[in-house]
Amino acid sequence: MNQIVNTNVPIFDNINSMLKQFNGMLRYSNGKYELEIKSAVDTSFITGITSLSEDDIIGNIKIDDKGQKRSFNSISASMIDPQNKFGSRGVSFFNSTYLKEDKGVPKKGNFSMPGITNYYAARTNIIQYLDESRH
């Protein structure tokens, strides 16, 4: 991470900009700070199909589906490139399988990576963001 700390914005925003590179977020609620970090979910314990009934549900259930609106088949981003005198370099990635699923209609998205200066780390983050938009 080669983060630029902007002294014109609050410290909280600078920290969240840094944490974004690691799939993290700092929240402030009810007088407390809370750190959230995305991680892979272990699904190895699932052995078969489980049926649920209303008797198994405790409390309320809310399902929020963003639908196709926020799904992409290509992502564009810019990164800080040390080989370009720390200037900006564009990085794009598209998934042909996703494009076929979308019947050839391009769905382009943008992703911000202010602290990444490595091309391969940038592509990894873009692929992760692209895959997350589909699920």
Side-chain angles (χ1 to χ4, degrees):
M1 178 177 83
N2 285 327
Q3 192 70 38
I4 296 172
V5 177
N6 185 350
T7 58
N8 292 325
V9 299
I11 294 172
F12 191 77
D13 293 342
N14 278 314
I15 290 172
N16 271 323
S17 180
M18 291 178 202
L19 288 171
K20 185 177 182 181
Q21 311 310 311
F22 303 103
N23 294 324
M25 174 186 271
L26 187 63
R27 294 185 178 151
Y28 183 77
S29 179
N30 296 326
K32 294 182 180 180
Y33 288 98
E34 181 181 309
L35 178 62
E36 178 182 330
I37 299 173
K38 288 186 211 173
S39 62
V41 177
D42 180 19
T43 58
S44 62
F45 63 91
I46 299 174
T47 57
I49 298 173
T50 303
S51 297
L52 297 175
S53 69
E54 286 189 36
D55 296 333
D56 297 320
I57 300 171
I58 300 172
N60 296 329
I61 293 180
K62 180 181 176 186
I63 298 174
D64 185 19
D65 183 12
K66 296 176 185 169
Q68 297 281 331
K69 189 176 183 180
R70 295 299 228 157
S71 66
F72 307 111
N73 52 38
S74 68
I75 300 289
S76 297
S78 61
M79 60 172 266
I80 300 167
D81 188 359
Q83 293 181 339
N84 193 21
K85 297 183 182 177
F86 289 90
S88 181
R89 178 178 302 269
V91 179
S92 297
F93 185 83
F94 86 99
N95 187 312
S96 61
T97 303
Y98 294 162
L99 186 62
K100 287 177 189 174
E101 289 174 1
D102 294 334
K103 297 179 175 121
V105 176
K107 293 183 175 184
K108 299 179 180 179
N110 293 312
F111 184 61
S112 174
M113 303 179 294
I116 293 181
T117 57
N118 179 294
Y119 176 77
Y120 297 103
R123 281 187 55 95
T124 300
N125 273 8
I126 289 172
I127 292 167
Q128 179 183 4
Y129 183 73
L130 181 62
D131 290 344
E132 283 179 1
S133 81
R134 303 297 289 197
H135 300 292

